[in-house]
Structure formats: C-alpha cells, structure tokens
Amino acid sequence: MNIKAGLISGFIATLVLSAIMVLKAKMGLMPDLNAIKMLAGMMHAPLAMGWAAHFMIGVVVWGILFSILVDKLPGGTLMSAIVFSIGAWFAMMIGPMPMAGAGLFGLHIGIMAPIATLILHLIWGTVLGLSYKRPA
C-alpha cells in the first residue's frame, strides 16, 4: 500500500478528467451532464464547492482507496485501476446520480449519460493506473 502514490495518481487522473469535462462543456456536448453542477447543487453551494468536492472525491477518497485495493484487484496496476474505475462509476450511478435528481444511472438525463460517464471513468482509471507507482 502506497497512499502517497494513490493521492498523486488520484490528483493526476482527476486533473485529466476535469480537463476533459471542461472541454466537453465548451463543445456543448451533453450540457445536462455536469457532475460539478450536480455536486454543488447537492450541497446547495456555489460551483467552486462542486469543484472542491470533485477533487476531494477523486484524489482523497478514490486515490487512497485505490492504494489500499490495488494489490487485491485482478491484473497488474493498470488493469486494477480500470476495474477500480468501473466500481467508482457504478457507485456514482447508484448514489450521487439519483441523489442529484438525475435518476438511477443518470437515466433522467438520457441513455447517453451512463455511457458517457463510464467512458470518462475508464479514462480516469487508465490515467490512475499509468500514474500510480507501486512501492519497490
């Protein structure tokens, strides 16, 4: 277990994911699918708090949890991170999505919501796995 590596890789992966999310918004793709706005709305807080929550979840919660689970998940580090990201996606689909009013799996937004969020989580997981360094 390497918590420092989990935090660092969680930060890098969340930074990459955030850049893609901003690009998605700038291109006008699926404007109703806005995780930052959903998080801020759930907290009844400004968007800055939504961004803070997004980074806390991606870096601290998922980064530390991945560092704990990486050796228990199947495959090497990269495959473990991809499997982990699918678990994080599933947790988001049955927890925060319904709590934010988007419905189970975000289906109130549309059928593309679960697909788009799964793709984003797979990108996040790939970056997480590539940037994570196991202790020697």
Side-chain angles (χ1 to χ4, degrees), residues 93-116:
M93 294 295 103
I94 64 170
M97 278 292 196
M99 289 178 2
L104 195 61
F105 287 86
L107 290 173
H108 292 171
I109 298 170
I111 191 65
M112 286 302 296
I115 296 166

PDB file of all heavy atoms in Angstrom, residues 93-116:
ATOM      1  N   MET A  93     -23.285   5.917 -10.135  1.00  0.00           N
ATOM      2  CA  MET A  93     -24.569   5.693 -10.812  1.00  0.00           C
ATOM      3  C   MET A  93     -25.699   5.356  -9.846  1.00  0.00           C
ATOM      4  O   MET A  93     -26.858   5.695 -10.103  1.00  0.00           O
ATOM      5  CB  MET A  93     -24.449   4.558 -11.837  1.00  0.00           C
ATOM      6  CG  MET A  93     -23.537   4.856 -13.001  1.00  0.00           C
ATOM      7  SD  MET A  93     -24.153   6.194 -14.041  1.00  0.00           S
ATOM      8  CE  MET A  93     -23.116   7.547 -13.530  1.00  0.00           C
ATOM      9  N   ILE A  94     -25.364   4.706  -8.735  1.00  0.00           N
ATOM     10  CA  ILE A  94     -26.426   4.308  -7.791  1.00  0.00           C
ATOM     11  C   ILE A  94     -26.488   5.194  -6.547  1.00  0.00           C
ATOM     12  O   ILE A  94     -27.401   5.047  -5.745  1.00  0.00           O
ATOM     13  CB  ILE A  94     -26.288   2.827  -7.374  1.00  0.00           C
ATOM     14  CG1 ILE A  94     -25.002   2.573  -6.603  1.00  0.00           C
ATOM     15  CG2 ILE A  94     -26.397   1.913  -8.601  1.00  0.00           C
ATOM     16  CD1 ILE A  94     -24.926   1.188  -5.958  1.00  0.00           C
ATOM     17  N   GLY A  95     -25.531   6.114  -6.402  1.00  0.00           N
ATOM     18  CA  GLY A  95     -25.514   7.000  -5.245  1.00  0.00           C
ATOM     19  C   GLY A  95     -25.781   8.447  -5.628  1.00  0.00           C
ATOM     20  O   GLY A  95     -26.932   8.899  -5.623  1.00  0.00           O
ATOM     21  N   PRO A  96     -24.718   9.168  -5.977  1.00  0.00           N
ATOM     22  CA  PRO A  96     -24.880  10.603  -6.262  1.00  0.00           C
ATOM     23  C   PRO A  96     -25.826  10.939  -7.422  1.00  0.00           C
ATOM     24  O   PRO A  96     -26.536  11.933  -7.350  1.00  0.00           O
ATOM     25  CB  PRO A  96     -23.454  11.058  -6.591  1.00  0.00           C
ATOM     26  CG  PRO A  96     -22.582  10.080  -5.895  1.00  0.00           C
ATOM     27  CD  PRO A  96     -23.314   8.777  -5.926  1.00  0.00           C
ATOM     28  N   MET A  97     -25.849  10.124  -8.470  1.00  0.00           N
ATOM     29  CA  MET A  97     -26.746  10.440  -9.601  1.00  0.00           C
ATOM     30  C   MET A  97     -28.206  10.512  -9.153  1.00  0.00           C
ATOM     31  O   MET A  97     -28.864  11.529  -9.403  1.00  0.00           O
ATOM     32  CB  MET A  97     -26.588   9.427 -10.742  1.00  0.00           C
ATOM     33  CG  MET A  97     -25.424   9.704 -11.642  1.00  0.00           C
ATOM     34  SD  MET A  97     -25.674  11.206 -12.591  1.00  0.00           S
ATOM     35  CE  MET A  97     -24.436  10.970 -13.824  1.00  0.00           C
ATOM     36  N   PRO A  98     -28.733   9.482  -8.489  1.00  0.00           N
ATOM     37  CA  PRO A  98     -30.126   9.603  -8.019  1.00  0.00           C
ATOM     38  C   PRO A  98     -30.300  10.726  -6.990  1.00  0.00           C
ATOM     39  O   PRO A  98     -31.316  11.430  -7.008  1.00  0.00           O
ATOM     40  CB  PRO A  98     -30.417   8.238  -7.384  1.00  0.00           C
ATOM     41  CG  PRO A  98     -29.456   7.298  -8.016  1.00  0.00           C
ATOM     42  CD  PRO A  98     -28.224   8.114  -8.287  1.00  0.00           C
ATOM     43  N   MET A  99     -29.315  10.913  -6.108  1.00  0.00           N
ATOM     44  CA  MET A  99     -29.420  11.971  -5.091  1.00  0.00           C
ATOM     45  C   MET A  99     -29.459  13.357  -5.731  1.00  0.00           C
ATOM     46  O   MET A  99     -30.058  14.278  -5.187  1.00  0.00           O
ATOM     47  CB  MET A  99     -28.255  11.874  -4.099  1.00  0.00           C
ATOM     48  CG  MET A  99     -28.374  10.676  -3.198  1.00  0.00           C
ATOM     49  SD  MET A  99     -27.042  10.382  -1.981  1.00  0.00           S
ATOM     50  CE  MET A  99     -25.908  11.687  -2.138  1.00  0.00           C
ATOM     51  N   ALA A 100     -28.818  13.503  -6.895  1.00  0.00           N
ATOM     52  CA  ALA A 100     -28.800  14.791  -7.595  1.00  0.00           C
ATOM     53  C   ALA A 100     -30.042  14.995  -8.461  1.00  0.00           C
ATOM     54  O   ALA A 100     -30.181  16.017  -9.117  1.00  0.00           O
ATOM     55  CB  ALA A 100     -27.547  14.893  -8.449  1.00  0.00           C
ATOM     56  N   GLY A 101     -30.930  13.991  -8.474  1.00  0.00           N
ATOM     57  CA  GLY A 101     -32.145  14.109  -9.260  1.00  0.00           C
ATOM     58  C   GLY A 101     -32.014  13.605 -10.683  1.00  0.00           C
ATOM     59  O   GLY A 101     -32.927  13.756 -11.496  1.00  0.00           O
ATOM     60  N   ALA A 102     -30.862  12.999 -11.015  1.00  0.00           N
ATOM     61  CA  ALA A 102     -30.632  12.506 -12.373  1.00  0.00           C
ATOM     62  C   ALA A 102     -31.166  11.088 -12.566  1.00  0.00           C
ATOM     63  O   ALA A 102     -31.089  10.551 -13.669  1.00  0.00           O
ATOM     64  CB  ALA A 102     -29.137  12.561 -12.704  1.00  0.00           C
ATOM     65  N   GLY A 103     -31.650  10.478 -11.507  1.00  0.00           N
ATOM     66  CA  GLY A 103     -32.185   9.125 -11.599  1.00  0.00           C
ATOM     67  C   GLY A 103     -31.099   8.067 -11.504  1.00  0.00           C
ATOM     68  O   GLY A 103     -29.905   8.360 -11.599  1.00  0.00           O
ATOM     69  N   LEU A 104     -31.541   6.838 -11.328  1.00  0.00           N
ATOM     70  CA  LEU A 104     -30.617   5.709 -11.265  1.00  0.00           C
ATOM     71  C   LEU A 104     -29.858   5.632 -12.592  1.00  0.00           C
ATOM     72  O   LEU A 104     -30.462   5.690 -13.662  1.00  0.00           O
ATOM     73  CB  LEU A 104     -31.405   4.431 -11.001  1.00  0.00           C
ATOM     74  CG  LEU A 104     -30.629   3.204 -10.558  1.00  0.00           C
ATOM     75  CD1 LEU A 104     -29.896   3.449  -9.233  1.00  0.00           C
ATOM     76  CD2 LEU A 104     -31.577   2.018 -10.398  1.00  0.00           C
ATOM     77  N   PHE A 105     -28.545   5.538 -12.513  1.00  0.00           N
ATOM     78  CA  PHE A 105     -27.662   5.514 -13.678  1.00  0.00           C
ATOM     79  C   PHE A 105     -27.762   6.792 -14.512  1.00  0.00           C
ATOM     80  O   PHE A 105     -27.346   6.819 -15.658  1.00  0.00           O
ATOM     81  CB  PHE A 105     -27.883   4.262 -14.542  1.00  0.00           C
ATOM     82  CG  PHE A 105     -27.333   3.017 -13.914  1.00  0.00           C
ATOM     83  CD1 PHE A 105     -28.095   2.288 -13.020  1.00  0.00           C
ATOM     84  CD2 PHE A 105     -26.034   2.601 -14.175  1.00  0.00           C
ATOM     85  CE1 PHE A 105     -27.587   1.152 -12.405  1.00  0.00           C
ATOM     86  CE2 PHE A 105     -25.517   1.465 -13.566  1.00  0.00           C
ATOM     87  CZ  PHE A 105     -26.289   0.743 -12.680  1.00  0.00           C
ATOM     88  N   GLY A 106     -28.320   7.848 -13.936  1.00  0.00           N
ATOM     89  CA  GLY A 106     -28.435   9.123 -14.650  1.00  0.00           C
ATOM     90  C   GLY A 106     -29.401   9.092 -15.810  1.00  0.00           C
ATOM     91  O   GLY A 106     -29.345   9.937 -16.698  1.00  0.00           O
ATOM     92  N   LEU A 107     -30.327   8.136 -15.805  1.00  0.00           N
ATOM     93  CA  LEU A 107     -31.206   7.947 -16.959  1.00  0.00           C
ATOM     94  C   LEU A 107     -32.217   9.075 -17.155  1.00  0.00           C
ATOM     95  O   LEU A 107     -32.779   9.209 -18.244  1.00  0.00           O
ATOM     96  CB  LEU A 107     -31.897   6.589 -16.884  1.00  0.00           C
ATOM     97  CG  LEU A 107     -30.952   5.403 -17.116  1.00  0.00           C
ATOM     98  CD1 LEU A 107     -31.672   4.081 -16.865  1.00  0.00           C
ATOM     99  CD2 LEU A 107     -30.351   5.444 -18.514  1.00  0.00           C
ATOM    100  N   HIS A 108     -32.446   9.919 -16.147  1.00  0.00           N
ATOM    101  CA  HIS A 108     -33.314  11.084 -16.350  1.00  0.00           C
ATOM    102  C   HIS A 108     -32.645  12.076 -17.289  1.00  0.00           C
ATOM    103  O   HIS A 108     -33.338  12.892 -17.903  1.00  0.00           O
ATOM    104  CB  HIS A 108     -33.658  11.767 -15.026  1.00  0.00           C
ATOM    105  CG  HIS A 108     -34.541  10.952 -14.143  1.00  0.00           C
ATOM    106  ND1 HIS A 108     -34.806  11.301 -12.854  1.00  0.00           N
ATOM    107  CD2 HIS A 108     -35.227   9.790 -14.339  1.00  0.00           C
ATOM    108  CE1 HIS A 108     -35.606  10.410 -12.294  1.00  0.00           C
ATOM    109  NE2 HIS A 108     -35.869   9.466 -13.186  1.00  0.00           N
ATOM    110  N   ILE A 109     -31.323  12.019 -17.391  1.00  0.00           N
ATOM    111  CA  ILE A 109     -30.590  12.890 -18.316  1.00  0.00           C
ATOM    112  C   ILE A 109     -30.688  12.327 -19.733  1.00  0.00           C
ATOM    113  O   ILE A 109     -30.718  13.060 -20.703  1.00  0.00           O
ATOM    114  CB  ILE A 109     -29.110  13.024 -17.890  1.00  0.00           C
ATOM    115  CG1 ILE A 109     -29.012  13.678 -16.507  1.00  0.00           C
ATOM    116  CG2 ILE A 109     -28.310  13.826 -18.908  1.00  0.00           C
ATOM    117  CD1 ILE A 109     -27.630  13.645 -15.903  1.00  0.00           C
ATOM    118  N   GLY A 110     -30.726  11.007 -19.828  1.00  0.00           N
ATOM    119  CA  GLY A 110     -30.793  10.356 -21.138  1.00  0.00           C
ATOM    120  C   GLY A 110     -29.967   9.086 -21.139  1.00  0.00           C
ATOM    121  O   GLY A 110     -29.145   8.860 -20.251  1.00  0.00           O
ATOM    122  N   ILE A 111     -30.162   8.269 -22.144  1.00  0.00           N
ATOM    123  CA  ILE A 111     -29.471   6.985 -22.231  1.00  0.00           C
ATOM    124  C   ILE A 111     -27.960   7.150 -22.397  1.00  0.00           C
ATOM    125  O   ILE A 111     -27.186   6.261 -22.039  1.00  0.00           O
ATOM    126  CB  ILE A 111     -30.075   6.111 -23.373  1.00  0.00           C
ATOM    127  CG1 ILE A 111     -29.553   4.670 -23.305  1.00  0.00           C
ATOM    128  CG2 ILE A 111     -29.774   6.709 -24.740  1.00  0.00           C
ATOM    129  CD1 ILE A 111     -29.973   3.927 -22.073  1.00  0.00           C
ATOM    130  N   MET A 112     -27.524   8.282 -22.929  1.00  0.00           N
ATOM    131  CA  MET A 112     -26.087   8.504 -23.113  1.00  0.00           C
ATOM    132  C   MET A 112     -25.366   8.837 -21.803  1.00  0.00           C
ATOM    133  O   MET A 112     -24.145   8.713 -21.738  1.00  0.00           O
ATOM    134  CB  MET A 112     -25.834   9.612 -24.144  1.00  0.00           C
ATOM    135  CG  MET A 112     -26.096   9.181 -25.581  1.00  0.00           C
ATOM    136  SD  MET A 112     -25.092   7.748 -26.066  1.00  0.00           S
ATOM    137  CE  MET A 112     -23.454   8.424 -25.963  1.00  0.00           C
ATOM    138  N   ALA A 113     -26.088   9.234 -20.775  1.00  0.00           N
ATOM    139  CA  ALA A 113     -25.449   9.614 -19.509  1.00  0.00           C
ATOM    140  C   ALA A 113     -24.618   8.483 -18.913  1.00  0.00           C
ATOM    141  O   ALA A 113     -23.443   8.689 -18.584  1.00  0.00           O
ATOM    142  CB  ALA A 113     -26.474  10.126 -18.513  1.00  0.00           C
ATOM    143  N   PRO A 114     -25.165   7.268 -18.753  1.00  0.00           N
ATOM    144  CA  PRO A 114     -24.326   6.214 -18.189  1.00  0.00           C
ATOM    145  C   PRO A 114     -23.160   5.823 -19.101  1.00  0.00           C
ATOM    146  O   PRO A 114     -22.077   5.491 -18.621  1.00  0.00           O
ATOM    147  CB  PRO A 114     -25.287   5.040 -17.973  1.00  0.00           C
ATOM    148  CG  PRO A 114     -26.493   5.339 -18.773  1.00  0.00           C
ATOM    149  CD  PRO A 114     -26.547   6.828 -18.950  1.00  0.00           C
ATOM    150  N   ILE A 115     -23.377   5.907 -20.406  1.00  0.00           N
ATOM    151  CA  ILE A 115     -22.306   5.561 -21.346  1.00  0.00           C
ATOM    152  C   ILE A 115     -21.188   6.603 -21.282  1.00  0.00           C
ATOM    153  O   ILE A 115     -20.010   6.263 -21.180  1.00  0.00           O
ATOM    154  CB  ILE A 115     -22.873   5.429 -22.778  1.00  0.00           C
ATOM    155  CG1 ILE A 115     -23.869   4.262 -22.830  1.00  0.00           C
ATOM    156  CG2 ILE A 115     -21.759   5.254 -23.802  1.00  0.00           C
ATOM    157  CD1 ILE A 115     -24.734   4.237 -24.064  1.00  0.00           C
ATOM    158  N   ALA A 116     -21.558   7.873 -21.330  1.00  0.00           N
ATOM    159  CA  ALA A 116     -20.562   8.946 -21.280  1.00  0.00           C
ATOM    160  C   ALA A 116     -19.794   8.933 -19.964  1.00  0.00           C
ATOM    161  O   ALA A 116     -18.562   9.084 -19.951  1.00  0.00           O
ATOM    162  CB  ALA A 116     -21.241  10.301 -21.488  1.00  0.00           C
TER     163      ALA A 116
END
